[in-house]
Amino acid sequence: MAFTTLSQLAEQSKQLTSHIAGLELPHLERGIDQIESQSRKLASKTSKPADLTESRAHLFLSASGIDPTLTNTTLNAINLRSTYEPFQPIHDTDTEAFLRNQHEQIMVSTIDESRRETVVDFDSNFETSLNYDWERTKKRIFEELGHGQGEAVGSTTGLRQSTNGFRGSASLGFSQSSLLVPGINQTTGTLDNVFFSKLKPYYKVVHDLCDSRLQGTAFLLAGNFVDASREAHKDQPNPKVQETWELLVSVLGEPDVRGGLFQNMTLRERVYANAYLMSPYKSPAAASLRERLLKGSKTFLERQFMKHVETAVRENPTDAAIGGIPSLVNTIRAFVQLKYGRYGSSSHPQLEIVDNQAVWAQIYYLLRSGHGKEACDFANENRPSLAPADQPFVDFLKAYVASEDRSLPQTMQDRLLVDFNQRIRYSSDTVDPYKLTLYKIVGRCEPNKRTTPVVGALEDFIWLQLALMRETRSDMTSQDKYDLADFQALVLKYGPNYFNPNNNNPLQYFQVLIHSQQFERAIHYLWSFKSFNLETVHMSIALTYYGLLRIPAMHRVSDPNPFSTTTDSQGHELACYNFTQLIHYQARVMAEQYPTEALRYLYQICLNADLTQAINEEQKALCRSYIQELVLHAKDYSSLLGRTDQGIKIPGAIEKYLPLIKIDSSNQFVKSITMEAAKSKAKEGRVEDAIQLYSIAEAYNQVVELFNRQLAEVISNPGLQGNGESGVNIASIRRVTNEYKNNPAMNQQIFPRNLETCEILLKLVEFTELYNRSRFEAALNLIKDLDLIPFDSDVTTITKKADQFQGLDECVARNFPDVLLKTMDSLYKMYQNLKASPYDEAGRRDNINMLKRRARALMMFAGSIKFRMPADTYATLNRLDVLISV
C-alpha cells in the first residue's frame, strides 16, 4: 500500500511540470535523502501556527523560572555544522567517472594546444613572408623616393615615372637604318612614348660605350652625347640642352672630333678619378686638375661669345658696316660699332676713341672671344696711337698672353699695380670701362671686386671670375687670393632663385654649377626637374666615366636624399651624389618594357669600382644585386641569361658584358643569379618561371622536381592541365624528361629517384585521363602495369607492396587516396557492366570473381599502408567493396 502511494505521488509530481514539457528540459532525479533534506529546508522556511500545546509549554517553563525565548535564541545561535565534518576530505570513489573526466580534459587541452600552435605557426610564417616582401618593397620605395627628394629644390613636379619593379621583355624601338643597334626591334611601348623616343639616341651612345669599354678602347662619350641630344630633341629643338652638353665637352677636355677618330687624343676612362676622387683637395694633383677644368670652362665661354659676335654682325650687316675683308679684327670692330653706334654720337662717352676706333673695347672683346694673340697684335699695331702712359700696357698684355698660367712676372705685376692705383683705381667713373677691365684681368687688380661696368650678361660675369681665379699659385697674399672655393661660395650664396628666378630655366643654374665645378650639386639640382631627367642621367654617366662625380662612402638605401657632404683628410668639405641610386632608378624605368637595354645602364655602376676597397666591393655587390633584381622581374629570361638548345649553351646579354662588372667567372655568376631567381620564383609559386630559370642554370634535377610538383597538382586537379600560360603542358614535360634521359650529360645531374617519380606521375596523369573518359578497363591495365597496387590477395605480396609504398615520393603519396578511389571505382563500374550483362556465360562469372578478388586485395592493401588517409576514403572504399562483393 505504501509503495503504491509513493508511486502515485511520484507520478503526480511529474505532472506538476507538464506545462513546461515543451522546453525539453531534463528531469531532476532525487534520492530519498535528498528529498527529505529539501523538505526540511522548505518546512523551516514555512511559518507554523502556534497551537495550544506550545502555549502550555511556554507557561510551564516560565513557572519553573526558564525563559523559553532566550533559551531558543541561544540554541539557534549554536553552529553544529563543523562539529560533524570529517577531518580528512572524503575522495570520490567513482573511478570510471574520474577517468572519463580526465580523458575529456586531456582531449580538450590537446585540441586547444594544437589550435594555439597552429595559430602561432601561421602568424610566424605569415610575418616572415610579409617581412620578406616588405624588405624588397621598402628597398624599391627608398630607391625611388631617393630620386624624388630633389623635387623640393625649385620644382613642384613629382616623379611619375616610377614603376612597380622590373617587368617586360621587349626591346627599344630603335630604327635599324638610322641607329644600327644590334638585336633591337622596332616596337612601341605603352609607357610615355615621348620619353622613350628621346631615350633612343642616348641609349645608342650607352650601347656603344659598353662595347668600347669591353674592347678596352677610348670613347668620346660627351661628344657623342652632344649628337644624341640633337637627335633626341629634333622634333622640339632645345638649344639650351645642346649648349649644356657642349659646355660639358669643353670642361672635360674632350677633343673636338667625332666618330672615334684620333683615338690617341681621346681621354681614357676615369682619367680624372685619381686627382678628383682620391687626392686631398689641397694636393698639387687636385689643384692642377681644377686649373685644367677652369680652362675648359673659360674656353667654352669664349667660343660661345664668338658665335654671338658673328651672329650679331651677320644679322645686322648695315649697322655693323663690317666692310672690307671680314677678318677677325674687322668682325670685332663691327660688333663694337653695332653695340655703341657711330663714334661721333657714341652712347658711352667714357670710351676712348683712337683713329676712329674704340681700341680698349676691341682689345677686350678679342680677349673675351679667346683670341689672346690677336689682341696682342692689335694692341701693338695701335700702340703709337695710345697715350704715353698707356703704352706700357701692351707689354703687360704680351706677357700675360704668353704665360702658361696667365700671370705676370713679379716686376711687371708690381709696375702694373702701381700704374693702376695711380691712374685708374680712383678714376673709375671717368676712365674707359674696357681699360679698367683689362687692367683688372691682366694684373688681377682688386680681386675682391668681382665685376666691372662692361659686365652685363651672366656669361660675361662667369668669364671674368674664371679669368681672375688662380688655383696652382701658392705665393699670393690673402688680399690677392681668389680661387675656385671663393667662386663656389659666391654661387651658393646667390642660389638657384637668383639664376633661375622663374623656375623655368634650370639649365642656366646647372651651367653655373658646372662652371664652378660643383658637379654633384649640379646633378642633384637638375634631377629635380622631370623634363630633364634623361639629360641628368646621361650627364652623370659622362661625369662618372671620366671620374668627376663623387659617390658617398657607403650606399644607404634608407636615406631618400642622394646628395650628401663629407670632409677629406685636410678638413675640406666634399659633396657626394649617389650615382648608384640614379642609375638604378633609370634602369627600373626602362626595364618596365626593355630589360636588356636597362642592363647596359646597370653596367655603369661599376665605373666606381676603382676607389677604396670597401667602396669597390660595395659597388660591385650593388651592381650584381640590381642585375639579379632585373632578372627576377623579367619575363623573357633567355635574352638576359641565355638558353640551352640540345645541351649547347647559348649565352645571353648578361654574360657578354660581365667583364664590365669585374666578374672573373662568368659562368658561375650567371648560374648564381639564375639559381637565386629560380628559388625566388618557386617560393612565390610561379613554377613555370622557376622551371625556365632552373633550365637556363642547367639545374636539371630541380627542373624535374618542379615537374613532379606540377604533375602532382594535375592529378589532384585535372583542370590545371593545358597548353596555355596558366596550364601545365604535359606533352612538354614528357618531351623534356625524355631529352634528359637520352642525354648522358643531363641525366647524370638528376637524382634517379626524381626521374622515377616523374615517370610514375606521368602514368598517373594518363590513368586519371582514362578514368575521366570512362575508359575503366584501360585505366586498370595502366595501374596494373605501374605495379603500385597489388591485385592479388596474397598476404606476402600485399605486405611487400605496402613496404614499397613507404619509399614513394611525397608527390605520389599525397595523391594515393585519390588513385585508390578511382581504381576501386573503376573496378565497381566494370563489375556493374558485367552484372548488367544478359548473358550468363562462364567467362563473365570468371571476370566478376576476378574483380572481387582485386577489390578485396585493394582493401587489404589500403589497410596495410602506413599512410593517413581521410576517413571518407576508407568509408567509400568499404562501400564499393561491399557492393562488389554482393
Side-chain angles (χ1 to χ4, degrees), residues 520-581:
E520 295 80 13
R521 292 184 189 274
I523 295 297
H524 181 53
Y525 172 75
L526 192 60
W527 178 251
S528 63
F529 295 87
K530 178 183 175 182
S531 56
F532 296 106
N533 281 173
L534 275 179
E535 282 69 29
T536 308
V537 169
H538 295 91
M539 286 178 183
S540 69
I541 292 175
L543 290 170
T544 302
Y545 176 75
Y546 290 115
L548 290 178
L549 193 69
R550 185 177 290 104
I551 63 173
M554 181 177 296
H555 176 84
R556 293 183 175 87
V557 175
S558 59
D559 187 0
N561 188 0
F563 180 81
S564 60
T565 58
T566 184
T567 56
D568 63 8
S569 59
Q570 298 174 344
H572 186 86
E573 184 179 79
L574 302 174
C576 303
Y577 189 82
N578 199 327
F579 173 75
T580 306
Q581 279 189 1

Side-chain angles (χ1 to χ4, degrees), residues 298-310 328-329 331-332 335 361-375 460 463:
K298 190 164 172 281
T299 300
F300 168 79
L301 292 172
E302 291 167 350
R303 291 177 179 175
Q304 182 189 49
F305 179 75
M306 191 62 209
K307 290 180 182 178
H308 167 67
V309 169
E310 292 172 345
L328 173 64
V329 173
T331 302
I332 295 298
F335 177 75
Q362 291 189 47
I363 295 174
Y364 168 79
Y365 283 124
L366 284 169
L367 206 60
R368 172 70 179 85
S369 60
H371 299 94
K373 182 178 182 302
E374 290 78 0
D460 295 332
W463 180 84

